[in-house]
Amino acid sequence: MSWTAVRRVVGPPLAAVGLALVVAALVLVVSGADPLVAFGNIWEYGSRLETVIESFNRATPLYLSGIAFAIAMRMNLFQIGVEGQYILAAFFAAYVGAGVGSMFPPLHVAIILVTAMIVGAAWAGLAGWMKVTRNVHEVISTIMLNAIAVAGVVSFLLGRWKIESESLDTRLGDIATTGWFPSLNPIVELVTREIKRVELTGFILVAALVGVAYHLIINRSRLGYDLRATGANPWAAEASGVPPKRTIVLAMLLSGAVAGLVGMADLLGDQHFYSLRFPQGLGFAGIAVALLGRNHAVGAAVAAVAFGWLERASGVLEVRGDAPREIVTIMVGVIILFAVIAYALAQRRRRIEAAAAASAQAETVDVTGAEEAET
């Protein structure tokens, strides 16, 4: 990837974050707080090694959620069902992972991950099937399937598969240690100090592999070309031989498979069981990650890390009484707003540059043709 391409992808999110800091400072001044003190405390707390690791742990599922949404968005499918898909996938993966007991660790982890991907793909594929066979818009179907997955399937089965717990928590059984994903703390500690209280999830490596695979499939494969062509102009894509219905279903299946991995960082690296306290909201947060990252693998990574860091570092505001923690919610909203504006301006600039280049080329052709006619 050229430096110009990287700048176009990463530049708007960074500009949006900068503008959001300015707006947040104004809000802090209006609320009677000192923005310099508040930002100073956020930076001091956020630059600690433990906070940075917590930020990357939070960014890992956010990134996977953003990629899941971006896959569908590449062909203009507004797939907002990642929330239900990852919760349903985590539930069945936890049940299967606990049910198989102990076994060879790589095989145990693989069974859990494959289960999650199959469940997520099947649930998303159902929305794709309804779109191509009954013309049900994906927004309606995925909203409906979110509710069915969380309030229907998971709630119904959790009440029947739950185990007795001393904490009175409604939960499934524990996954054996052979199904846990290893921590990266020993590797990080080779180049830094000892890490206390937190562990860097090894699932960040899986997220990185998913990002690389997403970039290669979208930009270097026939399937990626079909997705992009259908999203840009479905009628022209169909005329060129791209089957639109099959492409829609494939896009939803791929999106759902990645969505199934969203909850695996928490399931295999932290909790090791599913309960009513399993993290929720990651699916909807992934929409903001994808939009801020412009559906690009690198841009989504920057957005996920930014959101993860803001969420973890902002906790110091309430502890020290500098400002309410909700200031970060305002910042996230402003970041998304400014990102949309920045990308619109960048797109307009690219169109102007493309038009100028085409005009210059046309003038060159006209001059060359005139010279050949004279000779």
Side-chain angles (χ1 to χ4, degrees), residues 34 64 70 174-175 206 268 293 344 351:
D34 187 341
L64 290 169
D174 292 310
I175 297 175
V206 176
L268 303 184
R351 289 177 178 176

Side-chain angles (χ1 to χ4, degrees), residues 23-347:
V23 174
L26 296 176
V27 174
L28 287 171
V29 170
V30 172
S31 62
D34 187 341
L36 295 179
V37 174
F39 289 155
N41 289 334
I42 290 177
W43 177 255
E44 187 274 331
Y45 179 74
S47 59
R48 296 179 182 178
L49 180 60
E50 284 74 16
T51 306
V52 172
I53 289 177
E54 288 180 345
S55 302
F56 278 105
N57 287 342
R58 180 61 174 175
T60 298
L62 288 177
Y63 181 68
L64 290 169
S65 180
I67 293 297
F69 179 79
I71 292 173
M73 273 299 293
R74 281 292 187 165
M75 60 176 305
N76 288 331
L77 292 174
F78 204 76
Q79 209 274 80
I80 60 174
V82 176
E83 181 75 10
Q85 291 154 21
Y86 94 79
I87 292 176
L88 190 66
F91 175 81
F92 279 101
Y95 180 75
V96 172
V100 298
S102 298
M103 58 172 58
F104 182 55
L107 179 60
H108 196 174
V109 172
I111 289 175
I112 295 173
L113 296 184
V114 170
T115 300
M117 294 178 69
I118 291 175
V119 173
W123 206 246
L126 183 57
W129 176 81
M130 286 190 288
K131 182 175 181 65
V132 300
T133 60
R134 296 294 183 267
N135 199 28
V136 179
H137 198 280
E138 67 275 6
V139 172
I140 303 300
S141 61
T142 50
I143 288 176
M144 176 188 68
L145 290 172
N146 279 344
I148 294 175
V150 179
V153 178
V154 171
S155 296
F156 176 78
L157 293 178
L158 186 59
R160 284 153 178 76
W161 294 351
K162 66 181 180 180
I163 63 171
E164 296 296 330
S165 174
E166 295 181 356
S167 62
L168 301 179
D169 187 16
T170 304
R171 48 166 288 185
L172 299 178
D174 292 310
I175 297 175
T177 55
T178 55
W180 295 8
F181 220 84
S183 167
L184 295 182
N185 278 23
I187 298 177
V188 177
E189 290 174 349
L190 292 176
V191 295
T192 184
R193 62 174 174 80
E194 180 183 359
I195 302 173
K196 302 177 181 178
R197 300 186 306 277
V198 297
E199 292 186 354
L200 178 62
T201 174
F203 210 76
I204 193 173
L205 300 178
V206 176
L209 290 176
V210 169
V212 172
Y214 166 75
H215 174 74
L216 294 177
I217 290 175
I218 292 298
N219 299 289
R220 297 290 188 270
S221 71
R222 173 58 188 269
L223 175 58
Y225 171 80
D226 291 346
L227 292 178
R228 290 182 286 111
T230 304
N233 193 325
W235 298 277
E238 184 175 6
S240 65
V242 178
K245 292 185 178 181
R246 188 184 70 178
T247 307
I248 289 173
V249 174
L250 283 175
M252 293 299 290
L253 289 174
L254 287 174
S255 177
V258 176
L261 297 175
V262 172
M264 295 300 99
D266 290 286
L267 181 64
L268 303 184
D270 184 20
Q271 295 190 9
H272 311 302
F273 61 87
Y274 184 92
S275 73
L276 290 177
R277 294 182 295 177
F278 195 79
Q280 298 188 11
L282 297 173
F284 298 120
I287 298 176
V289 170
L291 292 177
L292 181 58
R294 204 58 178 179
N295 300 324
H296 194 282
V298 177
V302 174
V305 173
F307 287 152
W309 186 82
L310 283 173
E311 180 179 326
R312 295 311 184 195
S314 63
V316 72
L317 292 178
E318 289 183 333
V319 173
R320 298 187 179 181
D322 297 324
R325 189 171 184 172
E326 284 71 20
I327 189 66
V328 174
T329 303
I330 297 175
M331 291 180 64
V332 170
V334 174
I335 287 173
I336 297 173
L337 175 62
F338 282 138
V340 172
I341 296 174
Y343 277 119
L345 294 175
Q347 187 175 10

